[in-house]
Protein backbone atom coordinates (compact mmCIF):
# COMPACT_ATOMS: atom_id res chain seq x y z
CA UNK A 1 0.00 0.00 0.00
CA UNK A 2 2.83 2.39 0.87
CA UNK A 3 4.56 1.75 -2.45
CA UNK A 4 1.29 2.19 -4.37
CA UNK A 5 0.61 5.48 -2.58
CA UNK A 6 4.13 6.68 -3.35
CA UNK A 7 3.84 5.73 -7.01
CA UNK A 8 0.62 7.71 -7.30
CA UNK A 9 2.37 10.99 -6.53
CA UNK A 10 5.94 10.25 -7.58
CA UNK A 11 6.89 12.58 -10.46
CA UNK A 12 7.66 10.62 -13.59
CA UNK A 13 8.64 13.30 -16.10
CA UNK A 14 9.92 16.14 -13.93
CA UNK A 15 11.85 16.47 -10.68
CA UNK A 16 10.33 17.25 -7.32
CA UNK A 17 11.81 20.78 -7.26
CA UNK A 18 9.95 21.73 -10.45
CA UNK A 19 6.71 20.23 -9.13
CA UNK A 20 6.91 22.05 -5.78
CA UNK A 21 7.93 25.43 -7.22
CA UNK A 22 5.31 25.32 -9.97
CA UNK A 23 2.69 24.41 -7.35
CA UNK A 24 3.68 27.39 -5.18
CA UNK A 25 3.50 29.68 -8.22
CA UNK A 26 -0.02 28.47 -8.94
CA UNK A 27 -1.00 28.92 -5.27
CA UNK A 28 0.01 32.57 -5.44
CA UNK A 29 -1.93 33.08 -8.68
CA UNK A 30 -5.00 31.37 -7.20
CA UNK A 31 -5.41 33.89 -4.39
CA UNK A 32 -6.57 37.00 -6.31
CA UNK A 33 -8.63 34.95 -8.76
CA UNK A 34 -10.47 33.10 -5.98
CA UNK A 35 -11.16 36.41 -4.22
CA UNK A 36 -12.34 38.07 -7.44
CA UNK A 37 -14.65 35.18 -8.38
CA UNK A 38 -16.12 35.20 -4.87
CA UNK A 39 -16.98 38.87 -5.23
CA UNK A 40 -18.55 38.16 -8.63
CA UNK A 41 -20.73 35.44 -7.10
CA UNK A 42 -21.70 37.70 -4.20
CA UNK A 43 -20.16 35.56 -1.45
CA UNK A 44 -17.35 35.94 1.09
CA UNK A 45 -13.78 35.81 -0.33
CA UNK A 46 -12.98 32.94 2.05
CA UNK A 47 -15.66 30.84 0.32
CA UNK A 48 -13.79 31.17 -2.96
CA UNK A 49 -10.45 30.40 -1.29
CA UNK A 50 -11.81 27.29 0.46
CA UNK A 51 -13.36 26.19 -2.82
CA UNK A 52 -10.04 26.52 -4.64
CA UNK A 53 -8.30 24.49 -1.90
CA UNK A 54 -10.85 21.65 -1.72
CA UNK A 55 -11.45 21.26 -5.45
CA UNK A 56 -7.77 21.69 -6.28
CA UNK A 57 -6.71 19.02 -3.77
CA UNK A 58 -9.34 16.40 -4.68
CA UNK A 59 -8.98 16.74 -8.46
CA UNK A 60 -5.19 16.61 -8.18
CA UNK A 61 -5.45 13.29 -6.34
CA UNK A 62 -8.35 11.68 -8.22
CA UNK A 63 -8.45 13.53 -11.55
CA UNK A 64 -7.78 12.12 -14.98
CA UNK A 65 -5.19 14.75 -15.98
CA UNK A 66 -2.06 15.08 -13.79
CA UNK A 67 -0.75 18.64 -13.84
CA UNK A 68 -4.16 20.23 -14.45
CA UNK A 69 -5.33 22.77 -11.86
CA UNK A 70 -8.93 23.17 -10.70
CA UNK A 71 -10.56 25.68 -8.40
CA UNK A 72 -13.19 28.40 -8.16
CA UNK A 73 -13.82 29.84 -11.62
CA UNK A 74 -15.50 32.84 -13.17
CA UNK A 75 -17.61 30.62 -15.43
CA UNK A 76 -19.29 29.06 -12.36
CA UNK A 77 -19.45 32.38 -10.47
CA UNK A 78 -21.42 34.05 -13.25
CA UNK A 79 -24.01 31.26 -13.18
CA UNK A 80 -24.72 31.39 -9.44
CA UNK A 81 -25.10 35.16 -8.98
CA UNK A 82 -28.88 35.09 -9.48
CA UNK A 83 -29.30 32.10 -7.14
CA UNK A 84 -27.39 33.81 -4.32
CA UNK A 85 -29.34 37.06 -4.76
CA UNK A 86 -32.78 35.41 -4.94
CA UNK A 87 -32.44 32.59 -2.40
CA UNK A 88 -29.26 33.06 -0.36
CA UNK A 89 -25.92 31.34 0.01
CA UNK A 90 -27.33 28.14 1.57
CA UNK A 91 -29.13 27.34 -1.68
CA UNK A 92 -25.81 27.84 -3.45
CA UNK A 93 -24.20 25.15 -1.27
CA UNK A 94 -27.08 22.76 -2.01
CA UNK A 95 -26.83 23.50 -5.74
CA UNK A 96 -23.10 22.74 -5.68
CA UNK A 97 -23.76 19.33 -4.08
CA UNK A 98 -26.32 18.50 -6.78
CA UNK A 99 -23.92 19.78 -9.43
CA UNK A 100 -21.30 17.34 -8.21
CA UNK A 101 -23.74 14.42 -8.27
CA UNK A 102 -24.64 15.21 -11.88
CA UNK A 103 -20.95 15.29 -12.83
CA UNK A 104 -20.32 11.95 -11.11
CA UNK A 105 -23.23 10.47 -13.07
CA UNK A 106 -21.75 11.77 -16.33
CA UNK A 107 -18.44 10.11 -15.49
CA UNK A 108 -20.02 6.82 -14.44
CA UNK A 109 -22.00 6.71 -17.69
CA UNK A 110 -18.71 7.37 -19.54
CA UNK A 111 -20.09 10.41 -21.34
CA UNK A 112 -16.80 12.27 -21.06
CA UNK A 113 -15.83 10.87 -24.44
CA UNK A 114 -18.44 13.17 -26.01
CA UNK A 115 -15.78 15.89 -25.88
CA UNK A 116 -14.45 14.25 -29.03
CA UNK A 117 -17.45 15.75 -30.84
CA UNK A 118 -16.01 19.23 -30.34
CA UNK A 119 -14.42 20.25 -33.68
CA UNK A 120 -11.03 21.91 -33.85
CA UNK A 121 -12.44 25.33 -34.89
CA UNK A 122 -14.64 25.27 -31.77
CA UNK A 123 -11.58 24.45 -29.68
CA UNK A 124 -9.69 27.35 -31.26
CA UNK A 125 -12.61 29.71 -30.63
CA UNK A 126 -12.99 28.55 -27.03
CA UNK A 127 -9.29 28.98 -26.25
CA UNK A 128 -9.07 32.37 -27.97
CA UNK A 129 -12.20 33.62 -26.25
CA UNK A 130 -10.91 32.47 -22.89
CA UNK A 131 -7.55 34.17 -23.54
CA UNK A 132 -9.34 37.43 -24.30
CA UNK A 133 -11.44 37.09 -21.13
CA UNK A 134 -8.34 36.47 -19.01
CA UNK A 135 -6.63 39.48 -20.59
CA UNK A 136 -9.53 41.93 -20.32
CA UNK A 137 -10.43 40.77 -16.79
CA UNK A 138 -7.16 42.32 -15.59
CA UNK A 139 -8.28 45.80 -16.69
CA UNK A 140 -10.33 46.11 -13.49
CA UNK A 141 -7.05 46.39 -11.59
CA UNK A 142 -6.35 49.65 -13.43
CA UNK A 143 -9.43 51.23 -11.88
CA UNK A 144 -9.71 52.99 -8.54
CA UNK A 145 -12.44 54.48 -6.36
CA UNK A 146 -12.25 58.27 -5.90
CA UNK A 147 -13.25 60.29 -2.84
CA UNK A 148 -16.86 60.44 -4.00
CA UNK A 149 -17.02 56.63 -4.18
CA UNK A 150 -17.08 56.58 -7.98
CA UNK A 151 -14.99 54.01 -9.86
CA UNK A 152 -12.68 55.56 -12.43
CA UNK A 153 -9.56 54.69 -14.42
CA UNK A 154 -6.18 55.31 -12.82
CA UNK A 155 -4.21 58.27 -14.02
CA UNK A 156 -0.93 60.00 -13.33
CA UNK A 157 1.71 58.43 -11.09
CA UNK A 158 -0.39 55.46 -9.82
CA UNK A 159 -1.10 54.42 -13.42
CA UNK A 160 2.53 54.77 -14.55
CA UNK A 161 3.74 52.83 -11.50
CA UNK A 162 1.21 50.06 -12.11
CA UNK A 163 2.17 49.81 -15.78
CA UNK A 164 5.89 49.78 -14.95
CA UNK A 165 5.52 46.96 -12.41
CA UNK A 166 3.33 44.95 -14.83
CA UNK A 167 5.94 45.42 -17.56
CA UNK A 168 8.77 44.33 -15.24
CA UNK A 169 6.80 41.20 -14.33
CA UNK A 170 6.20 40.33 -17.97
CA UNK A 171 9.84 40.90 -18.94
CA UNK A 172 11.08 38.62 -16.14
CA UNK A 173 8.61 35.88 -17.08
CA UNK A 174 9.57 36.16 -20.75
CA UNK A 175 13.35 36.31 -20.54
CA UNK A 176 14.42 34.67 -17.26
CA UNK A 177 14.09 31.11 -18.70
CA UNK A 178 16.78 32.05 -21.25
CA UNK A 179 19.19 32.71 -18.36
CA UNK A 180 18.21 30.03 -15.87
CA UNK A 181 15.47 27.52 -15.17
CA UNK A 182 16.40 26.90 -11.55
CA UNK A 183 13.25 28.70 -10.42
CA UNK A 184 10.00 29.12 -12.41
CA UNK A 185 10.06 32.53 -14.06
CA UNK A 186 6.52 33.33 -12.88
CA UNK A 187 7.43 32.75 -9.23
CA UNK A 188 10.66 34.70 -9.62
CA UNK A 189 8.76 37.61 -11.16
CA UNK A 190 6.22 37.71 -8.32
CA UNK A 191 8.94 37.62 -5.67
CA UNK A 192 11.09 40.22 -7.45
CA UNK A 193 8.27 42.73 -7.95
CA UNK A 194 7.06 42.20 -4.38
CA UNK A 195 10.53 42.97 -3.01
CA UNK A 196 10.79 46.05 -5.24
CA UNK A 197 7.50 47.38 -3.87
CA UNK A 198 8.31 46.57 -0.22
CA UNK A 199 11.88 47.86 -0.10
CA UNK A 200 11.18 50.71 -2.49
CA UNK A 201 8.27 51.90 -0.38
CA UNK A 202 6.09 52.11 -3.48
CA UNK A 203 2.41 52.92 -3.03
CA UNK A 204 0.52 50.47 -5.20
CA UNK A 205 -2.46 48.15 -4.79
CA UNK A 206 -1.78 44.79 -3.13
CA UNK A 207 -3.72 41.57 -2.59
CA UNK A 208 -4.64 42.78 0.90
CA UNK A 209 -6.41 45.80 -0.63
CA UNK A 210 -8.88 43.43 -2.32
CA UNK A 211 -9.83 41.47 0.81
CA UNK A 212 -8.35 39.72 3.80
CA UNK A 213 -7.42 36.10 3.09
CA UNK A 214 -6.89 35.16 6.74
CA UNK A 215 -8.99 32.30 8.05
CA UNK A 216 -9.09 28.88 9.66
CA UNK A 217 -9.74 25.39 8.36
CA UNK A 218 -12.93 24.91 6.32
CA UNK A 219 -15.74 23.52 8.49
CA UNK A 220 -18.17 20.74 7.55
CA UNK A 221 -21.55 22.31 6.94
CA UNK A 222 -24.81 20.72 5.78
CA UNK A 223 -26.69 23.22 3.56
CA UNK A 224 -29.51 24.77 5.61
CA UNK A 225 -32.31 24.24 3.11
CA UNK A 226 -35.52 22.27 3.30
CA UNK A 227 -35.34 18.81 1.74
CA UNK A 228 -38.32 19.21 -0.56
CA UNK A 229 -39.19 19.03 -4.23
CA UNK A 230 -39.61 22.80 -4.21
CA UNK A 231 -35.96 23.21 -3.21
CA UNK A 232 -34.93 20.63 -5.79
CA UNK A 233 -36.69 22.46 -8.62
CA UNK A 234 -35.14 25.75 -7.51
CA UNK A 235 -31.56 24.50 -7.56
CA UNK A 236 -31.81 22.00 -10.45
CA UNK A 237 -31.48 24.53 -13.32
CA UNK A 238 -28.45 26.14 -11.70
CA UNK A 239 -26.88 22.78 -10.85
CA UNK A 240 -27.37 21.46 -14.38
CA UNK A 241 -25.86 24.59 -15.96
CA UNK A 242 -22.93 24.60 -13.52
CA UNK A 243 -22.30 20.89 -14.14
CA UNK A 244 -22.34 21.43 -17.91
CA UNK A 245 -20.16 24.53 -17.83
CA UNK A 246 -17.74 22.89 -15.40
CA UNK A 247 -17.35 19.69 -17.40
CA UNK A 248 -17.00 21.44 -20.74
CA UNK A 249 -14.33 23.79 -19.41
CA UNK A 250 -12.57 20.93 -17.60
CA UNK A 251 -12.58 18.55 -20.56
CA UNK A 252 -11.47 21.22 -23.01
CA UNK A 253 -8.68 22.23 -20.63
CA UNK A 254 -7.74 18.55 -20.34
CA UNK A 255 -7.53 18.31 -24.12
CA UNK A 256 -5.37 21.44 -24.29
CA UNK A 257 -2.95 20.16 -21.62
CA UNK A 258 -2.86 16.80 -23.43
CA UNK A 259 -1.67 18.57 -26.58
CA UNK A 260 0.96 20.61 -24.74
CA UNK A 261 2.39 17.68 -22.80
CA UNK A 262 1.87 15.15 -25.62
CA UNK A 263 0.21 12.76 -23.17
CA UNK A 264 -3.36 11.60 -22.75
CA UNK A 265 -5.66 12.07 -19.78
CA UNK A 266 -8.91 10.31 -18.92
CA UNK A 267 -12.03 12.39 -19.50
CA UNK A 268 -14.41 10.09 -17.63
CA UNK A 269 -12.08 9.88 -14.63
CA UNK A 270 -11.86 13.68 -14.61
CA UNK A 271 -15.68 13.95 -14.67
CA UNK A 272 -15.94 11.76 -11.57
CA UNK A 273 -13.15 13.65 -9.81
CA UNK A 274 -14.80 17.01 -10.55
CA UNK A 275 -18.08 15.63 -9.22
CA UNK A 276 -16.54 14.29 -6.00
CA UNK A 277 -14.74 17.61 -5.50
CA UNK A 278 -17.90 19.66 -5.93
CA UNK A 279 -19.99 17.43 -3.65
CA UNK A 280 -17.30 17.80 -1.00
CA UNK A 281 -16.95 21.56 -1.38
CA UNK A 282 -20.74 21.91 -1.21
CA UNK A 283 -20.66 20.30 2.25
CA UNK A 284 -17.82 22.59 3.33
CA UNK A 285 -19.43 25.85 2.29
CA UNK A 286 -17.89 26.16 -1.19
CA UNK A 287 -19.17 27.85 -4.34
CA UNK A 288 -18.31 25.14 -6.88
CA UNK A 289 -15.63 25.12 -9.52
CA UNK A 290 -13.88 23.31 -12.33
CA UNK A 291 -10.57 23.18 -14.19
CA UNK A 292 -8.82 26.52 -14.68
CA UNK A 293 -7.11 26.94 -18.02
CA UNK A 294 -5.00 29.90 -16.91
CA UNK A 295 -3.61 28.24 -13.79
CA UNK A 296 -3.17 24.94 -15.63
CA UNK A 297 -1.00 26.68 -18.21
CA UNK A 298 0.98 28.44 -15.47
CA UNK A 299 1.60 25.06 -13.86
CA UNK A 300 2.57 23.27 -17.07
CA UNK A 301 4.82 26.10 -18.25
CA UNK A 302 6.53 26.19 -14.86
CA UNK A 303 7.36 22.49 -15.06
CA UNK A 304 4.36 20.90 -13.32
CA UNK A 305 3.46 17.67 -15.07
CA UNK A 306 2.27 15.43 -12.25
CA UNK A 307 -0.17 15.24 -9.37
CA UNK A 308 2.37 16.59 -6.91
CA UNK A 309 2.25 20.11 -8.36
CA UNK A 310 -1.53 20.33 -7.98
CA UNK A 311 -1.39 18.98 -4.43
CA UNK A 312 1.32 21.50 -3.52
CA UNK A 313 -0.78 24.31 -5.03
CA UNK A 314 -3.83 23.34 -2.96
CA UNK A 315 -1.92 22.82 0.28
CA UNK A 316 0.09 25.98 -0.38
CA UNK A 317 -3.13 27.96 -0.73
CA UNK A 318 -4.42 26.56 2.58
CA UNK A 319 -1.07 27.39 4.21
CA UNK A 320 -1.37 30.97 3.00
CA UNK A 321 -4.85 31.22 4.54
CA UNK A 322 -3.79 29.73 7.87
CA UNK A 323 -0.30 31.10 8.49
CA UNK A 324 1.00 33.52 5.88
CA UNK A 325 -2.00 35.63 4.94
CA UNK A 326 -0.29 38.85 6.11
CA UNK A 327 2.67 38.18 3.80
CA UNK A 328 0.59 37.15 0.79
CA UNK A 329 -1.49 40.30 1.24
CA UNK A 330 1.72 42.27 0.55
CA UNK A 331 2.03 40.86 -2.99
CA UNK A 332 1.32 43.72 -5.44
CA UNK A 333 -1.56 43.17 -7.80
CA UNK A 334 0.67 44.44 -10.60
CA UNK A 335 2.78 41.28 -10.36
CA UNK A 336 -0.29 39.05 -10.65
CA UNK A 337 -1.73 41.17 -13.47
CA UNK A 338 1.53 40.82 -15.41
CA UNK A 339 1.47 37.07 -14.81
CA UNK A 340 -2.11 36.76 -16.10
CA UNK A 341 -1.26 38.94 -19.12
CA UNK A 342 1.49 36.47 -20.03
CA UNK A 343 -0.92 33.56 -19.47
CA UNK A 344 -3.44 35.17 -21.82
CA UNK A 345 -0.80 35.76 -24.49
CA UNK A 346 0.36 32.17 -24.19
CA UNK A 347 -3.21 30.82 -24.20
CA UNK A 348 -4.27 32.57 -27.40
CA UNK A 349 -3.89 30.30 -30.43
CA UNK A 350 -1.95 32.69 -32.67
CA UNK A 351 -1.69 29.92 -35.25
CA UNK A 352 -5.45 30.20 -35.76
CA UNK A 353 -4.97 33.65 -37.31
CA UNK A 354 -2.65 32.21 -39.95
CA UNK A 355 -5.12 29.58 -41.15
CA UNK A 356 -7.98 31.96 -41.96
CA UNK A 357 -7.32 31.75 -45.70
CA UNK A 358 -6.32 28.09 -45.65
CA UNK A 359 -9.44 26.50 -44.12
CA UNK A 360 -13.11 26.51 -45.20
CA UNK A 361 -15.00 29.73 -44.51
CA UNK A 362 -17.46 27.78 -42.38
CA UNK A 363 -14.64 26.80 -40.00
CA UNK A 364 -13.52 30.43 -39.75
CA UNK A 365 -17.12 31.46 -39.01
CA UNK A 366 -17.45 28.86 -36.25
CA UNK A 367 -14.12 29.93 -34.73
CA UNK A 368 -15.05 33.62 -34.68
CA UNK A 369 -18.58 32.99 -33.41
CA UNK A 370 -17.42 30.81 -30.50
CA UNK A 371 -14.82 33.42 -29.59
CA UNK A 372 -17.41 36.24 -29.62
CA UNK A 373 -19.98 34.30 -27.56
CA UNK A 374 -17.28 33.38 -25.04
CA UNK A 375 -16.05 36.97 -24.77
CA UNK A 376 -19.36 38.81 -24.62
CA UNK A 377 -21.62 36.33 -22.81
CA UNK A 378 -18.96 34.64 -20.65
CA UNK A 379 -20.95 31.45 -21.13
CA UNK A 380 -18.45 28.80 -22.17
CA UNK A 381 -21.02 26.01 -22.34
CA UNK A 382 -23.28 28.03 -24.63
CA UNK A 383 -20.35 29.06 -26.82
CA UNK A 384 -19.18 25.48 -27.29
CA UNK A 385 -22.74 24.22 -27.82
CA UNK A 386 -23.41 26.84 -30.50
CA UNK A 387 -20.11 26.02 -32.20
CA UNK A 388 -20.79 22.27 -32.21
CA UNK A 389 -24.34 22.77 -33.56
CA UNK A 390 -23.21 25.05 -36.37
CA UNK A 391 -20.31 22.74 -37.25
CA UNK A 392 -22.71 19.78 -37.30
CA UNK A 393 -25.18 21.61 -39.53
CA UNK A 394 -22.41 22.63 -41.92
CA UNK A 395 -21.20 19.02 -42.02
CA UNK A 396 -24.75 17.79 -42.70
CA UNK A 397 -25.26 20.34 -45.46
CA UNK A 398 -21.99 19.42 -47.17
CA UNK A 399 -22.78 15.71 -46.99
CA UNK A 400 -26.31 16.24 -48.24
CA UNK A 401 -24.88 17.46 -51.53
CA UNK A 402 -22.70 14.36 -51.87
CA UNK A 403 -25.61 12.01 -52.60
CA UNK A 404 -25.72 11.09 -56.29
CA UNK A 405 -26.78 8.22 -58.51
CA UNK A 406 -25.15 6.58 -61.54
CA UNK A 407 -27.81 5.10 -63.85
CA UNK A 408 -27.44 2.28 -66.35
CA UNK A 409 -29.47 -0.43 -68.11
CA UNK A 410 -28.24 -4.04 -68.11
CA UNK A 411 -28.73 -6.67 -70.82
CA UNK A 412 -31.95 -7.90 -69.17
CA UNK A 413 -33.64 -4.53 -69.39
CA UNK A 414 -33.29 -3.87 -65.65
CA UNK A 415 -32.35 -0.32 -64.68
CA UNK A 416 -29.64 0.09 -62.05
CA UNK A 417 -29.37 3.06 -59.69
CA UNK A 418 -25.87 3.01 -58.13
CA UNK A 419 -26.04 5.35 -55.12
CA UNK A 420 -23.04 7.27 -53.84
CA UNK A 421 -22.89 9.20 -50.57
CA UNK A 422 -24.71 8.80 -47.23
CA UNK A 423 -28.51 8.67 -47.15
CA UNK A 424 -29.70 10.63 -44.10
CA UNK A 425 -32.12 13.41 -43.14
CA UNK A 426 -30.35 16.14 -45.13
CA UNK A 427 -29.93 14.13 -48.34
CA UNK A 428 -33.32 12.40 -48.66
CA UNK A 429 -34.83 15.08 -50.91
CA UNK A 430 -31.96 14.86 -53.38
CA UNK A 431 -32.16 11.04 -53.20
CA UNK A 432 -35.84 11.00 -54.12
CA UNK A 433 -35.24 13.28 -57.10
CA UNK A 434 -32.86 10.74 -58.69
CA UNK A 435 -35.66 8.31 -59.66
CA UNK A 436 -38.09 8.36 -62.59
CA UNK A 437 -40.88 5.80 -61.85
CA UNK A 438 -43.05 6.75 -64.83
CA UNK A 439 -40.38 6.15 -67.44
CA UNK A 440 -38.40 3.38 -65.75
CA UNK A 441 -38.80 -0.32 -66.74
CA UNK A 442 -40.80 -2.80 -64.65
CA UNK A 443 -37.78 -3.76 -62.57
CA UNK A 444 -35.10 -1.53 -61.05
CA UNK A 445 -32.18 -2.17 -58.69
CA UNK A 446 -31.02 0.34 -56.08
CA UNK A 447 -27.37 -0.46 -55.35
CA UNK A 448 -26.01 0.81 -52.02
CA UNK A 449 -22.47 -0.55 -52.41
CA UNK A 450 -21.03 2.99 -52.24
CA UNK A 451 -23.64 4.31 -49.83
CA UNK A 452 -25.33 3.52 -46.55
CA UNK A 453 -28.62 4.30 -44.81
CA UNK A 454 -27.79 6.38 -41.73
CA UNK A 455 -31.06 7.21 -39.97
CA UNK A 456 -34.86 6.94 -39.94
CA UNK A 457 -35.17 9.64 -42.61
CA UNK A 458 -33.06 7.46 -44.91
CA UNK A 459 -35.35 4.48 -44.26
CA UNK A 460 -38.41 6.58 -45.00
CA UNK A 461 -36.82 7.79 -48.24
CA UNK A 462 -36.29 4.18 -49.42
CA UNK A 463 -39.87 3.36 -48.41
CA UNK A 464 -41.31 6.29 -50.37
CA UNK A 465 -39.35 5.37 -53.52
CA UNK A 466 -40.57 1.76 -53.18
CA UNK A 467 -44.19 2.93 -52.81
CA UNK A 468 -43.98 5.10 -55.91
CA UNK A 469 -42.88 2.11 -58.02
CA UNK A 470 -45.36 -0.31 -56.42
CA UNK A 471 -48.30 1.95 -57.29
CA UNK A 472 -47.26 1.61 -60.92
CA UNK A 473 -46.98 -2.19 -60.63
CA UNK A 474 -43.18 -2.10 -60.84
CA UNK A 475 -40.67 -3.98 -58.71
CA UNK A 476 -37.75 -2.55 -56.71
CA UNK A 477 -34.71 -4.53 -55.57
CA UNK A 478 -32.25 -3.24 -52.96
CA UNK A 479 -28.67 -4.44 -53.27
CA UNK A 480 -25.38 -4.34 -51.38
CA UNK A 481 -26.64 -2.95 -48.07
CA UNK A 482 -24.00 -2.93 -45.36
CA UNK A 483 -24.65 -4.60 -42.00
CA UNK A 484 -25.66 -1.40 -40.19
CA UNK A 485 -28.16 -0.50 -42.92
CA UNK A 486 -29.61 -4.04 -42.80
CA UNK A 487 -29.98 -3.71 -39.05
CA UNK A 488 -31.88 -0.45 -39.49
CA UNK A 489 -34.18 -2.07 -42.05
CA UNK A 490 -34.78 -5.01 -39.77
CA UNK A 491 -35.75 -2.75 -36.85
CA UNK A 492 -37.99 -0.71 -39.14
CA UNK A 493 -39.75 -3.71 -40.67
CA UNK A 494 -43.22 -2.22 -40.01
CA UNK A 495 -42.20 0.69 -42.24
CA UNK A 496 -40.43 -1.10 -45.07
CA UNK A 497 -40.67 -4.83 -45.78
CA UNK A 498 -37.73 -6.50 -47.52
CA UNK A 499 -36.38 -10.01 -48.04
CA UNK A 500 -33.44 -11.70 -49.72
CA UNK A 501 -34.00 -12.79 -53.28
CA UNK A 502 -33.68 -16.55 -53.53
CA UNK A 503 -31.16 -16.67 -56.39
CA UNK A 504 -28.84 -13.99 -54.97
CA UNK A 505 -28.25 -13.48 -51.23
CA UNK A 506 -26.87 -9.99 -51.90
CA UNK A 507 -30.24 -8.82 -53.17
CA UNK A 508 -33.23 -7.75 -51.10
CA UNK A 509 -36.57 -7.37 -52.77
CA UNK A 510 -38.57 -4.43 -51.49
CA UNK A 511 -42.16 -4.94 -50.30
CA UNK A 512 -42.45 -8.72 -50.48
CA UNK A 513 -42.06 -9.96 -46.88
CA UNK A 514 -40.26 -9.09 -43.69
CA UNK A 515 -36.51 -9.62 -43.51
CA UNK A 516 -35.78 -12.80 -41.60
Amino acid sequence: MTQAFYNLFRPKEANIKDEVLSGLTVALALVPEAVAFSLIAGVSPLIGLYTAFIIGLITSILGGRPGMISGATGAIAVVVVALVIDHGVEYLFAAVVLMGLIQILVGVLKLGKLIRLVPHPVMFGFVNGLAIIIFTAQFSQFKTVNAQGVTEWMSGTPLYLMLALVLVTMVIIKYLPKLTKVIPSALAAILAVTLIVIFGGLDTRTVGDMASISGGLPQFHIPMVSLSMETFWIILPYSAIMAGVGLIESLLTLTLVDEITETRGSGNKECIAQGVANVTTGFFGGMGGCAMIGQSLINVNAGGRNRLSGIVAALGLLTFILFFSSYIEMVPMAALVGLMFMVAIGTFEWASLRVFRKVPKSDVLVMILVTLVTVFLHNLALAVLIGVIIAALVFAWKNSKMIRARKRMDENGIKHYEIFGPLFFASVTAFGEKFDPLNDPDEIIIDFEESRIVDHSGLEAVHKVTERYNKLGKTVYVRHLDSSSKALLHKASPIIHVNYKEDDPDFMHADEKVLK
Side-chain angles (χ1 to χ4, degrees):
M1 286 292 292
T2 303
Q3 184 63 35
F5 186 80
Y6 172 74
N7 288 336
L8 179 62
F9 304 114
R10 178 172 57 88
K12 298 177 178 61
E13 297 178 7
N15 58 49
I16 293 179
K17 177 190 70 100
D18 289 340
E19 297 291 319
V20 172
L21 292 179
S22 62
L24 290 176
T25 305
V26 170
L28 287 171
L30 281 172
V31 173
E33 293 235 329
V35 171
F37 296 149
S38 300
L39 298 177
I40 291 174
V43 298
S44 165
L46 276 177
I47 289 180
L49 291 167
Y50 288 147
T51 299
F53 159 65
I54 295 171
I55 292 182
L57 181 63
I58 293 177
T59 55
S60 294
I61 296 174
L62 303 178
R65 173 65 267 175
M68 194 167 76
I69 304 298
S70 297
T73 62
I76 300 296
V78 171
V79 173
V80 302
V81 174
L83 178 62
V84 174
I85 292 175
D86 296 339
H87 300 282
V89 72
E90 294 295 334
Y91 277 81
L92 167 61
F93 300 152
V96 171
V97 172
L98 181 57
M99 164 195 178
L101 294 175
I102 294 172
Q103 291 178 325
I104 292 173
L105 181 63
V106 170
V108 170
L109 296 178
K110 299 188 183 301
L111 299 179
K113 59 187 178 183
L114 294 179
I115 197 66
R116 301 172 190 168
L117 298 178
V118 178
H120 216 60
V122 176
M123 185 72 175
F124 272 161
F126 163 80
V127 171
N128 291 346
L130 210 52
I132 294 172
I133 288 177
I134 293 172
F135 192 87
T136 56
Q138 310 312 311
F139 292 166
S140 62
Q141 301 303 327
F142 292 89
K143 295 181 179 179
T144 186
V145 179
N146 60 24
Q148 291 74 37
V150 178
T151 301
E152 60 183 11
W153 291 98
M154 288 181 176
S155 60
T157 302
L159 175 61
Y160 300 141
L161 177 60
M162 183 79 169
L163 290 173
L165 294 174
V166 169
L167 184 60
V168 169
T169 303
M170 296 175 70
V171 169
I172 294 174
I173 294 174
K174 174 69 174 178
Y175 294 106
L176 182 62
K178 297 181 179 180
L179 300 176
T180 178
K181 294 185 179 179
V182 173
I183 182 173
S185 59
L187 180 58
I190 293 173
L191 293 176
V193 173
T194 300
L195 292 175
I196 291 173
V197 170
I198 293 174
F199 291 103
L202 303 179
D203 183 16
T204 186
R205 182 181 297 172
T206 64
V207 171
D209 295 328
M210 294 184 64
S212 172
I213 67 168
S214 177
L217 290 171
Q219 301 294 314
F220 182 78
H221 172 78
I222 297 177
M224 303 296 290
V225 297
S226 61
L227 299 177
S228 64
M229 290 304 296
E230 180 182 359
T231 300
F232 176 77
W233 289 117
I234 289 174
I235 66 175
L236 179 61
Y238 295 97
S239 299
I241 294 173
M242 285 192 293
V245 169
L247 289 183
I248 288 175
E249 187 165 355
S250 298
L251 293 175
L252 288 179
T253 302
L254 182 147
T255 302
L256 183 63
V257 176
D258 280 354
E259 292 180 0
I260 294 173
T261 60
E262 297 183 352
T263 57
R264 184 167 182 175
S266 171
N268 293 318
K269 189 175 180 181
E270 185 64 34
C271 291
I272 295 175
Q274 293 286 338
V276 172
N278 279 301
V279 170
T280 304
T281 194
F283 282 116
F284 280 87
M287 57 181 281
C290 59
M292 308 178 76
I293 190 169
Q295 277 64 28
S296 297
L297 290 176
I298 291 174
N299 187 47
V300 171
N301 292 334
R305 293 289 191 278
N306 300 279
R307 299 184 187 277
L308 182 60
S309 58
I311 294 172
V312 169
L315 295 178
L317 180 60
L318 181 63
T319 303
F320 295 159
I321 296 171
L322 296 177
F323 306 111
F324 300 106
S325 58
S326 58
Y327 297 104
I328 300 303
E329 289 171 5
M330 295 181 183
V331 174
M333 288 304 303
L336 298 174
V337 169
L339 171 60
M340 297 312 294
F341 276 163
M342 292 302 292
V343 169
I345 293 171
T347 301
F348 195 91
E349 287 282 359
W350 300 100
S352 64
L353 301 179
R354 296 195 295 269
V355 302
F356 269 24
R357 295 183 179 181
K358 301 177 182 179
V359 298
K361 293 181 179 179
S362 58
D363 287 349
V364 175
L365 173 64
V366 169
M367 193 187 311
I368 295 175
L369 186 60
V370 172
T371 300
L372 292 177
V373 174
T374 302
V375 170
F376 290 106
L377 299 184
H378 288 211
N379 191 328
L380 304 180
L382 179 62
V384 172
L385 182 62
I386 289 175
V388 171
I389 290 175
I390 293 178
L393 291 176
V394 170
F395 176 80
W397 174 253
K398 289 181 177 178
N399 277 271
S400 70
K401 297 186 291 185
M402 293 175 63
I403 194 81
R404 58 193 192 279
R406 183 193 302 159
K407 307 170 188 178
R408 65 181 179 85
M409 296 284 292
D410 65 17
E411 63 277 5
N412 298 317
I414 299 175
K415 189 170 183 178
H416 293 250
Y417 285 87
E418 297 174 354
I419 307 301
F420 296 83
L423 181 57
F424 67 115
F425 68 91
S427 61
V428 294
T429 301
F431 173 77
E433 293 172 351
K434 307 297 182 186
F435 299 92
D436 186 10
L438 291 176
N439 298 314
D440 279 348
D442 291 339
E443 292 185 354
I444 72 161
I445 293 174
I446 306 177
D447 193 329
F448 282 94
E449 186 171 12
E450 301 295 335
S451 178
R452 64 187 298 265
I453 301 173
V454 177
D455 58 8
H456 172 256
S457 297
L459 291 173
E460 186 65 25
V462 175
H463 178 53
K464 287 182 178 180
V465 169
T466 299
E467 277 191 330
R468 288 163 62 190
Y469 280 94
N470 285 343
K471 288 178 181 178
L472 297 173
K474 299 179 180 181
T475 306
V476 178
Y477 295 94
V478 180
R479 186 183 190 187
H480 286 147
L481 280 173
D482 65 353
S483 57
S484 61
S485 299
K486 288 179 183 178
L488 280 175
L489 285 171
H490 179 62
K491 292 179 181 179
S493 56
I495 300 174
I496 178 169
H497 301 282
V498 295
N499 74 325
Y500 289 108
K501 195 175 180 185
E502 294 179 0
D503 61 348
D504 188 345
D506 285 337
F507 280 76
M508 283 186 291
H509 177 216
D511 203 34
E512 281 190 4
K513 54 184 178 180
V514 179
L515 177 66
K516 300 298 182 182

